[in-house]
Amino acid sequence: MTKGRGPGRQVVAALWLPIAAAAGQAPTPHLPLVVLPDTVVVCRFPADGPIPAWALGPQPFLTISRTRTELSITAPQALVAGREGCERGYRPVKVQGPLPLDLVGIVAALAEPLARNGISLFAISTYETDYVLVKDADLPRARRAWQAAGHTVLEQVETPARAPGR
């Protein structure tokens, strides 16, 4: 993990390019994005519920968030076959990081081109970077919208996650 100033921070800082010439308009970052290979689900559980066993093992993409009102788990779709209360068919898109926690406008720079094109998103932030989930069916349009906004969109070549026992 890169801390403070250093080569990793310089690369991220170089991504901030002003795209508007108007005075007083904040610069918009041009971001390197990586489409991850797994299709994922977003599942909702009761706030006081236990974390399911299938969510405890290592996976290429898995997030667990608990608030006073819910427990949300985002995981590879192959792990959650047939479970009710899950929204299926999302593809995670990663902002290549690490990113300093004090950078401003990262999610906005990804959300704005999608909103202009009528594409919804589900955002997840980690300590090192941000992810945006878009429906698999919307991914080609999202890719075009991001590229038109100056972002670079690459596919990650990796074997997708598999359900236990496969």
Side-chain angles (χ1 to χ4, degrees):
M1 180 177 349
T2 307
K3 293 186 177 186
R5 299 192 189 279
R9 298 298 186 221
Q10 292 168 355
V11 170
V12 172
L15 299 173
W16 286 82
L17 302 172
I19 62 168
Q25 190 167 8
T28 301
H30 291 194
L31 302 167
L33 307 176
V34 180
V35 179
L36 303 184
D38 282 317
T39 300
V40 300
V41 297
V42 180
C43 300
R44 182 174 190 228
F45 298 90
D48 59 353
I51 296 172
W54 54 261
L56 297 175
Q59 291 295 327
F61 189 87
L62 183 126
T63 66
I64 301 172
S65 299
R66 188 185 302 267
T67 68
R68 289 183 182 188
T69 60
E70 68 178 310
L71 168 65
S72 293
I73 300 176
T74 305
Q77 194 162 282
L79 292 180
V80 197
R83 187 190 182 297
E84 302 250 346
C86 295
E87 291 289 324
R88 290 169 166 65
Y90 285 95
R91 289 291 297 280
V93 180
K94 175 184 180 179
V95 178
Q96 195 63 42
L99 303 174
L101 290 174
D102 60 353
L103 283 181
V104 176
I106 300 297
V107 175
L110 299 176
E112 195 276 329
L114 296 185
R116 246 190 338 224
N117 286 277
I119 302 168
S120 66
L121 65 83
F122 185 88
I124 297 174
S125 294
T126 67
Y127 188 87
E128 289 193 353
T129 194
D130 295 311
Y131 295 82
V132 173
L133 308 182
V134 296
K135 286 289 194 170
D136 196 39
D138 291 332
L139 187 58
R141 288 183 21 216
R143 176 190 303 275
R144 288 190 299 272
W146 285 324
Q147 289 170 332
H151 305 301
T152 303
V153 185
L154 305 171
E155 293 281 335
Q156 180 175 332
V157 180
E158 188 176 293
T159 305
R162 300 201 184 268
R166 285 190 171 181

